[in-house]
């Protein structure tokens, strides 16, 4: 798989505003925020998108999901709530081919999403 911008952030080669990290994930603020709080959670184990999840081990996937929840807690979003988005493939406008969860919060969301 080709190296992505998130590989470089994980390797410390380019800077990011990191808000949470643990042994399994790193979380940093999106460069183009769509809400008052907009953070990307990236697992240290590479996947192209969430569509690769069936081929990954349960521990890696579980730690990824726990990392998303822990990041939201660290951001103080638990009381008001937040949205988690996995853009997957061209119809969903996925632009970075390294799986990432968007955490969006700090405002009332609308539904359906655009
Ligand atoms: P997606 O469409 O789901 O692939 O979203 C990728 C997100 O990554 C997009 O919201 C902008 C963000 N992004 C792209 N390049 C960088 C970067 O260099 N730094 C940070 N912090 N975010 C980035």
């Amino acid at each position: 798989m080709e190296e992505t911008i998130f590989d470089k952030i994980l390797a410390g080669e380019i800077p990011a505003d990191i808000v949470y990290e643990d042994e399994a994930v790193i979380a940093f603020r999106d460069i183009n925020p769509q809400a008052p709080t907009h953070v990307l959670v990236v697992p240290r184990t590479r996947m192209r998108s969430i569509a690769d999840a069936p081929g990954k081990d349960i521990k890696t996937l579980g730690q990824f999901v726990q990392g998303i929840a822990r990041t939201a807690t660290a951001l103080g979003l638990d009381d008001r709530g937040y949205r988690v988005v996995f853009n997957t493939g061209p119809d969903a406008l996925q632009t970075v081919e390294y799986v990432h969860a968007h955490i969006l919060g700090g405002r009332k969301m609308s539904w359906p999403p655009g």
Side-chain angles (χ1 to χ4, degrees), residues 35-49:
T37 300
H38 186 173
V39 163
L40 304 172
V41 186
V42 175
R44 296 187 191 276
T45 301
R46 176 83 190 266
M47 280 180 265
R48 194 186 299 270
S49 76

Side-chain angles (χ1 to χ4, degrees), residues 3-12 14 26 28 30 40-43 46 95-102:
E3 194 178 45
T4 69
I5 198 86
F6 296 168
D7 290 282
K8 291 181 179 161
I9 289 173
L10 275 161
I14 63 166
I26 186 167
F28 50 89
D30 195 292
L40 304 172
V41 186
V42 175
R46 176 83 190 266
T95 58
V96 179
E97 293 212 336
Y98 190 130
V99 72
H100 50 281
H102 294 255

